[in-house]
Amino acid sequence: MITRAEIGHWWRVARPFPIASEAFWVGIFHDTVEDGYLPKILLRWWPALDAMTRRDGEPYPDFIERAAADLVARRVKLSDVRDNLSRNGGPPRQSLRERYEAALVVLDGAD
């Protein structure tokens, strides 16, 4: 079951983008396939969402590199990581903070 916390996160990730943009909708749906709410077959037709979806067994740095290679996914992943770093429920554990900060370096440098 989808929680309010998940919906809030999806909204915060999508909010920086115009509602009619692909980035907005990738932000809304960015965790839904990975978390099992939507079928993986959807990724075949939506490259930016595919780039935003971590694959089973994929190392996090490889996932970030893949997301950074897609312009829409890179912008949305930046929003996602920034939201994860500034969570309302308190700061992430140190290991997650380090992972997110390393991701920001890769994503910001992908221009």
Side-chain angles (χ1 to χ4, degrees), residues 81-93:
V81 170
R82 288 177 180 138
D83 186 65
N84 287 337
L85 281 168
S86 65
R87 309 158 123 210
N88 292 335
R93 296 185 321 266

Side-chain angles (χ1 to χ4, degrees), residues 43-95:
L43 302 178
R44 287 187 191 178
W45 294 283
W46 203 347
L49 186 61
D50 182 37
M52 277 291 299
T53 302
R54 190 171 175 191
R55 299 189 174 130
D56 294 337
E58 183 176 31
Y60 190 76
D62 294 351
F63 162 56
I64 294 301
E65 289 288 342
R66 193 166 52 78
D70 181 284
L71 179 61
V72 172
R74 181 176 63 84
R75 293 173 56 218
V76 176
K77 191 63 187 170
L78 277 166
S79 180
D80 179 39
V81 170
R82 288 177 180 138
D83 186 65
N84 287 337
L85 281 168
S86 65
R87 309 158 123 210
N88 292 335
R93 296 185 321 266
Q94 184 62 29
S95 61

Side-chain angles (χ1 to χ4, degrees), residues 5-7 14 20-23 25 27-32 35 40 46 50 54 56 72 80 82-83 87 92 96 104:
E6 288 173 308
I7 293 169
S21 70
E22 181 181 15
W25 294 103
I28 291 293
F29 292 116
H30 78 277
D31 283 334
T32 58
D35 293 344
K40 289 182 180 180
W46 203 347
D50 182 37
R54 190 171 175 191
D56 294 337
V72 172
D80 179 39
R82 288 177 180 138
D83 186 65
R87 309 158 123 210
L96 284 177
L104 285 177

